[in-house]
C-alpha cells in the first residue's frame, strides 16, 4: 500500500481533494488521462459519432500542399502534446522540415512515438522534449535560429477555458518566438444533437472514459467511491459555447478519499471536462487575443472542423 501511495502524483491528490470540496465540484480534465484513460480516448477517436479526429485527419491530408506552400520548408515542426504523433506524418511528408520536436508530458509515450517517426522519416532529426507544454520549457539547442512551425491539432485548445486558452497561446508565442507560425485545430459549433452524441456515444466508450477517473481515484488515492454511484453526462452549455462532461450522483452517496469524507446528494455532479467549440470569428479572435494573427483557414465541406495557420506577431505600440 505504501509503495502504491508513494507513486501517486501529489498534484493529483491535492486537485481531487480540493476540487471535490468546491461549491461546484470539479476535477481538472488532465487527470482523465492515466494509461487506461489514454487507451479509452484513443478508442473514442475511432468512434463513428466522434467526428473531430477523422475530419481533421482528412483535412490535413487534403490541404497539406496548400499549408506547406504557406509555411515554407526551411523550418522545424514543434508539436505540443504530441501523444502518439498520429497526425504528424502528413506534415513531415509534405513540409520536409529541418527537424521535428515532439513535446509530451508522458515520457514513455513520447519516446515510443519519436522512435516511430524517426524510423519513418530517417532524414528528419527528432528531438523529443518530455515536458508539460503549459509550463515554461526550453526547446533543444539544436534548433536554435531555425524558423518554427508550432503544431497543436485535435482541438485540444477547446479543453481550456478561453482565459487559459489565451494564456496558453501567448505561452506558445513565447516558446516559439515572434514570426513563428502555428497550425492549430479547432472544433466548430454545430447542432447540439451531434455534439452530444460525440460526447455521449451509444457504445458507452466516453462514459467509460469519464468513469475511469473515479476508478483512478479509488485505486491511487485509496478511496471507496461506489462503482454505481455516478453516471456520465454530456451537456451543452450554450452561453459558454462548450460541451461539458459531468459525473452525476445517481443517489445520495458518501465516500472517503485519503481519510476525507464527501457527501453528494442525488443529482449533484462532478464537472470533469470542457470542450469549447468555436465559430470562425470566435476562433480568430481567440488567436488574436493570444498574440497570433490568422493567415489562412481550412475547413471540411460540412464546416465541422477548422485548421488555422497563424503567425506570432510582435507587440505593437499603435494600430
Ligand atoms: C482531447 N480533447 C480534444 C477531446 C475533446 O474532444 O475535447 C477529449 C474528449 N473528451 C471526451 N471525448 C473526447
Amino acid at each position: 500500500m505504501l509503495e502504491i501511495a508513494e507513486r501517486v502524483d501529489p498534484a493529483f491528490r491535492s486537485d481531487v481533494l480540493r476540487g471535490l470540496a468546491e461549491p461546484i465540484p470539479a476535477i481538472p480534465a488532465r487527470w482523465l488521462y492515466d494509461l487506461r484513460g489514454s487507451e479509452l480516448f484513443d478508442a473514442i477517436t475511432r468512434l463513428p459519432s466522434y467526428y473531430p479526429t477523422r475530419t481533421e485527419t482528412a483535412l490535413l491530408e487534403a490541404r497539406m500542399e496548400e499549408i506547406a506552400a504557406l509555411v515554407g520548408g526551411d523550418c522545424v515542426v514543434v508539436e505540443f502534446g504530441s501523444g502518439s504523433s498520429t497526425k504528424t506524418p502528413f506534415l513531415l511528408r509534405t513540409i520536409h522540415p529541418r527537424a521535428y520536436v515532439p513535446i509530451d508530458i508522458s515520457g514513455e509515450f513520447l519516446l515510443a512515438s519519436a522512435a516511430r517517426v524517426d524510423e519513418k522519416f530517417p532524414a528528419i532529426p527528432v528531438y523529443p522534449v518530455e515536458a508539460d507544454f503549459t509550463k515554461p520549457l526550453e526547446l533543444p539547442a539544436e534548433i536554435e535560429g531555425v524558423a518554427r512551425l508550432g503544431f497543436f491539432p485535435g482541438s485540444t485548445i477547446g479543453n481550456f477555458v478561453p482565459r487559459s486558452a489565451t494564456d496558453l497561446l501567448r505561452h506558445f508565442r513565447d516558446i516559439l518566438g515572434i514570426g513563428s507560425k502555428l497550425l492549430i485545430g479547432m472544433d466548430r459549433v454545430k447542432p447540439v444533437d451531434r455534439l452530444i452524441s460525440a460526447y455521449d456515444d451509444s457504445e458507452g466508450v466516453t462514459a467509460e472514459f469519464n468513469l475511469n477517473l473515479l476508478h483512478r481515484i479509488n485505486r491511487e488515492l485509496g478511496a471507496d467511491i461506489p462503482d454505481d454511484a455516478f453516471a456520465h453526462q454530456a451537456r451543452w452549455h450554450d452561453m459558454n459555447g462548450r460541451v461539458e462532461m459531468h459525473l452525476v450522483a445517481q443517489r445520495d452517496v458518501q465516500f472517503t478519499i485519503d481519510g476525507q469524507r464527501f457527501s453528494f446528494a442525488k443529482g449533484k455532479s462532478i464537472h470533469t471536462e470542457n470542450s469549447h467549440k468555436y465559430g470562425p470569428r470566435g476562433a480568430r479572435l481567440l488567436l488574436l487575443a493570444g498574440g497570433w494573427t490568422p493567415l489562412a483557414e481550412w475547413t471540411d465541406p460540412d464546416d465541422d472542423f477548422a485548421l488555422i495557420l497563424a503567425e506570432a506577431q510582435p507587440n505593437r505600440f499603435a494600430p
Side-chain angles (χ1 to χ4, degrees):
M1 192 62 198
L2 187 64
E3 203 196 328
I4 291 169
E6 273 173 355
R7 272 189 267 122
V8 173
D9 188 333
F12 177 48
R13 175 184 281 109
S14 61
D15 278 2
V16 169
L17 293 176
R18 185 177 161 199
L20 291 185
E22 291 283 312
I24 299 174
I27 296 173
R30 68 186 178 113
W31 301 116
L32 291 164
Y33 299 89
D34 61 352
L35 186 63
R36 181 70 188 134
S38 301
E39 283 170 6
L40 287 164
F41 175 63
D42 215 53
I44 289 172
T45 64
R46 290 189 295 272
L47 290 171
S49 61
Y50 190 76
Y51 58 85
T53 309
R54 65 167 182 281
T55 310
E56 186 183 43
T57 305
L59 252 181
L60 272 170
E61 201 169 4
R63 311 306 284 270
M64 210 49 235
E65 296 286 345
E66 285 165 57
I67 297 170
L70 289 171
V71 166
D74 202 13
C75 67
V76 294
V77 170
V78 178
E79 183 167 357
F80 297 102
S82 49
S84 49
S85 297
T86 45
K87 293 163 193 158
T88 321
F90 297 107
L91 221 66
L92 302 188
R93 194 181 299 141
T94 320
I95 292 181
H96 308 294
R98 291 252 294 265
Y100 170 56
V101 180
I103 304 173
D104 206 278
I105 197 161
S106 156
E108 240 170 273
F109 225 30
L110 178 74
L111 294 182
S113 53
R116 271 199 306 278
V117 171
D118 198 42
E119 198 180 321
K120 213 165 180 174
F121 300 95
I124 302 174
V126 181
Y127 303 114
V129 175
E130 184 180 345
D132 176 350
F133 63 72
T134 65
K135 305 264 160 62
L137 62 89
E138 294 284 325
L139 291 179
E142 290 88 340
I143 66 161
E144 188 78 44
V146 189
R148 282 113 193 237
L149 170 68
F151 185 41
F152 195 39
S155 195
T156 304
I157 193 74
N159 296 130
F160 295 80
V161 293
R163 192 185 55 221
S164 313
T166 310
D167 288 345
L168 184 63
L169 290 168
R170 289 187 186 170
H171 175 58
F172 286 173
R173 179 170 165 271
D174 290 342
I175 293 173
L176 297 173
I178 303 305
S180 297
K181 294 197 173 79
L182 177 69
L183 184 63
I184 186 169
M186 289 200 206
D187 196 11
R188 289 286 207 228
V189 180
K190 55 184 59 63
V192 176
D193 56 336
R194 285 200 60 212
L195 287 169
I196 296 301
S197 58
Y199 289 84
D200 192 5
D201 56 280
S202 50
E203 294 88 338
V205 184
T206 310
E208 206 183 326
F209 171 65
N210 200 4
L211 285 160
N212 177 60
L213 179 62
L214 300 182
H215 301 153
R216 181 178 186 182
I217 293 172
N218 280 347
R219 194 179 60 246
E220 293 190 22
L221 305 181
D224 58 2
I225 307 171
D227 227 32
D228 57 351
F230 288 86
H232 166 70
Q233 191 180 68
R235 300 179 188 164
W236 170 247
H237 191 306
D238 199 49
M239 282 304 281
N240 290 353
R242 68 191 189 205
V243 177
E244 298 180 355
M245 285 208 316
H246 290 260
L247 290 164
V248 183
Q250 300 300 292
R251 52 182 166 83
D252 293 351
V253 59
Q254 283 85 39
F255 52 88
T256 305
I257 306 175
D258 207 20
Q260 208 168 304
R261 296 278 299 159
F262 293 92
S263 290
F264 273 68
K266 182 178 177 182
K268 189 166 176 167
S269 85
I270 307 169
H271 187 171
T272 52
E273 190 184 56
N274 288 316
S275 197
H276 293 80
K277 309 300 167 191
Y278 290 99
R281 288 185 191 280
R284 293 176 206 157
L285 190 59
L286 185 71
L287 283 162
L288 285 163
W292 294 88
T293 297
L295 299 176
E297 185 178 271
W298 298 268
T299 62
D300 54 295
D302 297 327
D303 198 23
D304 277 347
F305 199 94
L307 273 171
I308 306 176
L309 183 69
E311 187 173 65
Q313 289 298 318
N315 294 327
R316 293 171 63 128
F317 164 66

